Amino acid sequence: MRILTLAGFVLSALFTQTAFPAGGTSSQVLEAATQFLDQFVERQASNGYKITYELGNLDSRLTLANCIAGPTVAFSGDPWRSTHPRLEISCEGERPWRIFLSSALKITGEAFVAARPLGRGDRLREEMISRSEVVINSIRRGAIKKLEDLIGMEISRPINAGTVFTPDLVSAPDAVSRGDHVIIIARSGNFSVQSRGKALGNGRIGEQVRIENLSSSRTLRARIIGPGRVEVVM
């Protein structure tokens, strides 16, 4: 088992293919896979994660065509969403080959969790959120990494204290509620006019809601573009 420090995760580097010295025996394949994982860890610089990994076994009798340019190694899946990502090891050339190698990978670090039990519809405040050390890549839906992505959001269903916040557990609150007075922006090309209206329903940004124009008493449907603001395209 290898224990290393992981930091500064760069998403674009997740599936980068890396070539290693030539060879085709099982020991050389394992060496290339080890170098790939070591480099994956070293590229991460400063976020304070701890990672442990262990490579699966290859048949010691495995013989592959000599890879003149060196085998290429890449993750075949997202290692931040699985504790057992596979490595794809391949070689191009006159006698190309490709094999998959299993691995056990554990990335441990801090994540935002519920500081106490929370109910559906609770609006998140900073005192409701704490940090706890968890195995990051065991959270299949992905942990929310930024506090600002949580503050003000609503809980989608009841959760217990210590539950890791993931995107499916929170949703944006209604930007407009029934009875709210809103600004109606009627837009046609580069020209727009504003009027006042009253919301006849609830909705989030991007959703449609029925609005009563307070000047004309007409009812219309408008798209919510911000808290207390709706838009009608003419």
Side-chain angles (χ1 to χ4, degrees), residues 29-156:
V29 169
L30 288 172
E31 181 182 359
T34 299
Q35 289 183 39
F36 171 79
L37 287 176
D38 287 347
Q39 290 182 13
F40 169 72
V41 172
E42 290 169 2
R43 282 196 300 267
Q44 324 314 320
S46 63
N47 288 337
Y49 295 101
K50 182 176 71 175
I51 182 170
T52 63
Y53 74 80
E54 185 173 357
L55 288 171
N57 295 320
L58 285 177
D59 189 333
S60 60
R61 296 167 297 179
L62 176 69
T63 301
L64 300 168
N66 186 45
C67 192
I68 297 175
T72 296
V73 186
F75 284 114
S76 66
D78 187 347
W80 289 81
R81 298 293 180 90
S82 172
T83 55
H84 291 86
R86 292 197 305 170
L87 300 180
E88 180 180 334
I89 306 169
S90 60
C91 180
E92 302 295 335
E94 293 183 2
R95 299 173 62 190
W97 50 261
R98 181 178 65 168
I99 61 172
F100 292 91
L101 178 63
S102 63
S103 72
L105 183 74
K106 185 168 73 172
I107 303 170
T108 305
E110 283 194 341
F112 292 111
V113 302
R116 58 177 175 80
L118 299 171
R120 180 178 179 179
D122 283 350
R123 187 76 64 87
L124 284 173
R125 303 186 302 274
E126 192 164 353
E127 61 268 24
M128 299 176 175
I129 304 166
S130 62
R131 291 175 178 265
S132 181
E133 190 170 89
V134 301
V135 178
I136 299 292
N137 59 331
S138 69
I139 304 165
R140 299 301 173 88
R141 295 185 181 274
I144 294 176
K145 297 180 175 65
K146 296 180 181 179
L147 184 62
E148 57 265 33
D149 291 339
L150 287 172
I151 299 298
M153 300 291 276
E154 287 185 354
I155 297 298
S156 301

